[in-house]
Amino acid sequence: MFQNYLRIAFRNLWRSKGFSAINISGLAIGMASAILILLWIQNELSYDRFYTNTDRLYKIYSRDNLSTGPLAWENTPKPLGTALKKDFPEVEKVTRFRNVTFLTSVGETHLNTQGAFADSSFLEMFDFPLLQGAAHNALNGGYNIVLTQRLAKSLFGNADPMGKIIRASNYVNFKVTAVLKDLPPNSTLQFGCIIPWRYFNTGWAKMSSTNWNHNLFKLYASLKPNVSYAQVAPKIKGLVEKYAPATYSTLKQQVIMQPMEDWHLYNVYKNGVPAGGLIDYIWMFGVIGILVLVIACINFTNLSTARSEKRAREVGIRKVIGSSRAALIAQFLMESVILTFLSFVLSLLLIQLVLPSFNALAGTHINIPYTNGWFWLIMVSYVLLTGLVAGSRPAFYLSSFQPVKVLKGKIAAGTSAIQSRKVLVVLQFTCSIALISSTIVVYQQIQYGLNRPRGYDPNRLLFTEGWGTPFAALKHDVLETGVVSTITQSLSPVTDVYGHNTIDAWPGKQANEALLPALGAVGDTDYFKTVGMQLLAGRNFTGNAGDDSASVILNEAAVRRMRLKQPLNQFIHWQLSWVPRNLRVVGIVKDALTNAPFAPAEPAIYVWQPNWSFTVMYRLSPNVSTSAALEREATVVLTVWTPCCGRAWPRPQARRSSTYPSRPADESGGTYSVHIRMGRAGTTRD
């Protein structure tokens, strides 16, 4: 009987080639959209789930209770990790972590590398598979370095990298002590190499080791087995009050933890508590996928029922010769499932064609998991369910025809059939209108974010992230090419904020009032000119370290927040890094959108700190195209990024490398690296 149903189903499909093609292609597009969304959701849900102790890993947050409301952030003071490990036996391990970009060199090979500083416990907490070396001692020495497999291959080729020397930023040598297997793309933590925190713990980083106001470091902790966060949470809240009572009296700062499973999905905090994030987009796109599939199924149903007259005589003859209604329903459902299966095959081809463009757009590495048994089990269920849902209405409707009326030609659809088709059409158009309206709203929001005044000029603005960049030599060589009109250095690019600090006092400060402005550490007098920020009052930094180190420039939001009617020449007291100091306000600049294009400008404070400069920004000359400018840069892999809505949604457009003879980076000679990206609001990270 099954073979008979199958044979008849294929005959009917072949007899109505046009109808079958329309139904198969329409359903295939809907299924492809739903499957693609499903693959994206599965990829996002899989983030950070591959560690053996995922359920015991946490990110540490500071939650401050400001007069404007609670604020939680992931940058923490440096002494917090030591206090956690010391005071709470429930905490198994703690590691500090900070991303950094710098040049790695082996012989004539120079690569601009996204690296990180981390404590020696990092590799034991996050058990990335090691190909060579041991996790317990790979980061013990101050001049050790751990490479990923890809970076090791790029630097050393097929040679064994263990024990070899790598030069970082042209002035310090590190010895390779371990090689990690390449990090999976669904890992929140991404880096090409790790350098011990012991090396980073020098200079200003060392001086701030006991300062609870300096929030520039990420902190991760693992709890001991059988210890829940609920047991630890009430105990760790009062750490700041215990060790930094002055800070606590102003901020009422508490320590909280976020489970590792939530890092990627719940990355937005409001009023000091998790308030969604990527999980909201997952729900939204999940609903969109269901709506698209529903529209395709309704289209399938309506087309099938519209052909009822052509199938009616077949139904009547089958019933006359003894076919039961159940047998007819089974036959029509079989045809529907076959159509759905053919649509599924076509949908896989469509997905394979669009996946490269989709991955480039979404910044993902999604592939169809052909070798995964669970994928095929889900897909078989998906095909059967879609086929049964899409074909149920035609099957029950066609099988209900009475043979006497059919054979007499009286097959006019009844009122109920017409009404049901009207309901389906209305539902189909309702879903379509909802999707179209949502698309228009999203598009308008994106345009608003792109066209909203930013307070700086993003056009022809590029930036480099690099630790230890020889700025003086770089500035000379880049300006000498003529493709750059101005160049500057700072702690962070204008599109991002790398840290916040507490202002202890200012004129008119009320009791228990707190302010944590964004930290803008400027290392060059051309900063505001290069980024295109307007100086509204006062003066710029002069480049005189003695004068500038005691000066500060505020933005409009900071002036409003501090209620300063005459801000120039006022003094604010700031526990800046390691030295409490009085800073004189010498200038006011226009607000700039430094984090997200949809959020209001936050209070910002700009100080003179050349030693904190991790970023170099460039303003291209007006008569030089961007492509021509990139071709002139020095010994580098260049990546051009175009603007995208949101905080960090980059889209790679082109990659190429180019060299030109450069001046020595210092008296001992050498080369330096430039990693350039188009600077637009929202494109803030790799």
Side-chain angles (χ1 to χ4, degrees):
M1 184 64 71
F2 177 79
Q3 290 180 350
N4 183 50
Y5 288 160
L6 194 63
R7 187 181 302 112
I8 294 173
F10 275 109
R11 284 176 180 174
N12 285 323
L13 294 178
W14 185 254
R15 186 181 301 118
S16 306
K17 300 182 185 66
F19 165 79
S20 300
I22 293 173
N23 242 0
I24 290 173
S25 59
L27 192 57
I29 293 173
M31 294 183 73
S33 301
I35 293 173
L36 193 58
I37 291 174
L38 178 64
L39 290 173
W40 177 78
I41 291 176
Q42 188 277 330
N43 177 72
E44 300 303 320
L45 293 178
S46 69
Y47 263 73
D48 302 318
R49 304 301 175 97
F50 49 85
Y51 303 107
T52 56
N53 59 338
T54 298
D55 59 326
R56 297 192 286 118
L57 292 172
Y58 292 83
K59 179 189 289 187
I60 310 300
Y61 277 77
S62 295
R63 182 164 61 198
D64 302 323
N65 291 285
L66 308 178
S67 56
T68 55
L71 173 67
W73 48 358
E74 60 182 13
N75 289 328
T76 59
K78 192 175 178 183
L80 179 57
T82 304
L84 275 173
K85 194 72 173 65
K86 173 185 174 184
D87 290 8
F88 302 103
E90 299 92 341
V91 177
E92 184 178 45
K93 289 184 175 65
V94 174
T95 183
R96 292 161 294 191
F97 186 86
R98 181 177 177 84
N99 285 111
V100 64
T101 303
F102 53 88
L103 180 68
T104 51
S105 303
V106 175
E108 296 302 317
T109 302
H110 309 283
L111 296 176
N112 216 35
T113 303
Q114 177 68 37
F117 293 106
D119 282 304
S120 57
S121 56
F122 177 80
L123 293 177
E124 297 177 86
M125 288 176 55
F126 300 95
D127 51 349
F128 296 107
L130 279 173
L131 300 178
Q132 294 177 277
H136 68 277
N137 62 7
L139 293 173
N140 283 350
Y143 292 89
N144 293 353
I145 189 170
V146 176
L147 307 180
T148 60
Q149 185 180 6
R150 182 180 294 108
L151 181 60
K153 178 75 173 177
S154 300
L155 290 173
F156 296 100
N158 295 324
D160 184 3
M162 292 295 290
K164 301 289 179 60
I165 299 299
I166 291 177
R167 190 163 179 82
S169 293
N170 286 322
Y171 64 84
V172 60
N173 293 330
F174 293 95
K175 184 174 73 172
V176 179
T177 54
V179 178
L180 288 173
K181 187 176 181 180
D182 287 335
L183 307 182
N186 58 346
S187 171
T188 300
L189 299 173
Q190 292 290 337
F191 48 82
C193 63
I194 313 172
I195 292 177
W197 194 272
R198 287 179 59 183
Y199 180 80
F200 185 53
N201 193 27
T202 58
W204 64 271
K206 181 177 182 180
M207 296 176 187
S208 63
S209 61
T210 60
N211 190 303
W212 287 79
N213 287 331
H214 195 191
N215 301 276
L216 282 177
F217 313 101
K218 289 182 176 63
L219 189 65
Y220 303 107
S222 62
L223 301 181
K224 290 183 177 178
N226 303 319
V227 175
S228 67
Y229 176 53
Q231 298 173 259
V232 178
K235 300 179 182 179
I236 66 174
K237 284 184 177 180
L239 267 177
V240 180
E241 183 179 12
K242 175 181 178 181
Y243 287 99
T247 299
Y248 181 81
S249 64
T250 303
L251 301 175
K252 299 297 185 291
Q253 191 176 74
Q254 297 177 338
V255 178
I256 59 176
M257 292 183 175
Q258 184 186 41
M260 188 171 188
E261 294 96 331
D262 296 343
W263 291 0
H264 186 67
L265 301 178
Y266 298 87
N267 55 353
V268 174
Y269 275 70
K270 292 183 180 179
N271 296 321
V273 296
L278 189 61
I279 189 66
D280 298 327
Y281 293 96
I282 288 176
W283 281 108
M284 180 181 71
F285 283 108
V287 171
I288 290 174
I290 293 173
L291 288 179
V292 171
L293 188 60
V294 166
I295 292 172
C297 289
I298 292 175
N299 187 67
F300 179 94
T301 301
N302 285 338
L303 287 174
S304 298
T305 54
R307 295 181 68 250
S308 57
E309 292 186 9
K310 293 185 177 182
R311 303 297 300 272
R313 197 172 297 275
E314 175 191 344
V315 171
I317 293 175
R318 284 184 172 278
K319 283 192 173 183
V320 167
I321 63 176
S323 291
S324 65
R325 186 181 183 188
L328 290 170
I329 290 174
Q331 178 189 329
F332 290 130
L333 288 178
M334 173 73 72
E335 292 181 16
S336 175
V337 171
I338 291 175
L339 269 173
T340 306
F341 173 75
L342 295 175
S343 299
F344 170 69
V345 173
L346 180 58
S347 70
L348 289 182
L349 295 176
L350 292 175
I351 293 172
Q352 200 67 53
L353 289 174
V354 303
L355 259 180
S357 299
F358 179 84
N359 284 329
L361 176 68
T364 56
H365 300 80
I366 297 173
N367 290 305
I368 301 177
Y370 292 111
T371 59
N372 190 313
W374 282 105
F375 171 76
W376 290 113
L377 180 61
I378 294 172
M379 288 299 102
V380 169
S381 304
Y382 175 63
V383 169
L384 290 175
L385 181 61
T386 303
L388 294 176
V389 170
S392 58
R393 170 60 186 167
F396 284 97
Y397 174 65
L398 293 173
S399 64
S400 68
F401 289 162
Q402 297 180 14
V404 175
K405 291 183 178 181
V406 168
L407 295 177
K408 287 183 178 181
K410 299 177 180 180
I411 56 171
T415 304
S416 60
I418 295 174
Q419 291 299 326
S420 62
R421 286 175 61 186
K422 287 182 178 179
V423 169
L424 289 175
V425 170
V426 170
L427 179 60
Q428 183 181 19
F429 275 92
T430 300
C431 294
S432 300
I433 292 171
L435 290 177
I436 294 172
S437 300
S438 301
T439 302
I440 293 174
V441 171
V442 171
Y443 174 78
Q444 290 177 337
Q445 287 295 315
I446 292 175
Q447 292 304 306
Y448 168 77
L450 291 176
N451 299 325
R452 180 185 177 191
R454 299 173 178 84
Y456 66 93
D457 183 9
N459 298 311
R460 308 178 66 77
L461 180 64
L462 298 88
F463 61 87
T464 298
E465 288 184 344
W467 165 60
T469 301
F471 180 71
L474 175 63
K475 183 174 183 178
H476 179 278
D477 281 9
V478 170
L479 291 178
E480 197 174 60
T481 66
V483 300
V484 170
S485 59
T486 57
I487 179 174
T488 189
Q489 63 173 343
S490 61
L491 173 65
S492 60
V494 70
T495 53
D496 206 352
V497 175
Y498 285 179
H500 294 73
N501 272 66
T502 306
I503 294 181
D504 299 317
W506 66 86
K509 178 180 180 296
Q510 299 175 0
N512 298 324
E513 187 179 12
L515 176 61
L516 288 87
L519 172 61
V522 177
D524 184 74
T525 57
D526 287 332
Y527 176 83
F528 298 111
K529 178 182 178 182
T530 301
V531 302
M533 290 178 63
Q534 182 181 356
L535 191 67
L536 300 177
R539 65 169 177 83
N540 189 9
F541 294 114
T542 63
N544 185 320
D547 182 43
D548 287 340
S549 61
S551 302
V552 65
I553 296 176
L554 307 177
N555 71 344
E556 296 173 288
V559 173
R560 289 193 299 270
R561 180 64 182 78
M562 289 188 281
R563 303 177 303 279
L564 299 176
K565 295 182 179 180
Q566 299 293 333
L568 292 180
N569 296 317
Q570 298 279 9
F571 284 88
I572 62 175
H573 185 73
W574 195 8
Q575 184 85 6
L576 180 61
S577 183
W578 65 90
V579 180
R581 60 173 67 182
N582 286 317
L583 299 175
R584 184 167 65 93
V585 179
V586 298
I588 308 297
V589 294
K590 192 175 181 63
D591 286 340
L593 304 179
T594 52
N595 269 339
F598 304 109
E602 64 175 318
I605 182 169
Y606 299 90
V607 296
W608 180 262
Q609 283 291 339
N611 294 330
W612 291 9
S613 297
F614 299 139
T615 303
V616 178
M617 285 179 283
Y618 314 78
R619 172 72 58 187
L620 297 183
S621 299
N623 59 340
V624 179
S625 67
T626 302
S627 59
L630 295 180
E631 293 292 347
R632 297 292 301 277
E633 296 304 332
T635 316
V636 56
V637 175
L638 301 168
T639 306
V640 181
W641 302 89
T642 58
C644 183
C645 177
R647 186 172 179 188
W649 292 73
R651 294 182 290 176
Q653 298 296 308
R655 296 188 178 187
R656 56 188 180 275
S657 62
S658 178
T659 62
Y660 81 98
S662 63
R663 291 168 55 85
D666 50 33
E667 292 183 359
S668 60
T671 59
Y672 52 80
S673 169
V674 182
H675 181 87
I676 293 181
R677 298 176 295 181
M678 292 291 286
R680 287 295 296 270
T683 47
T684 57
R685 292 187 176 90
D686 281 343

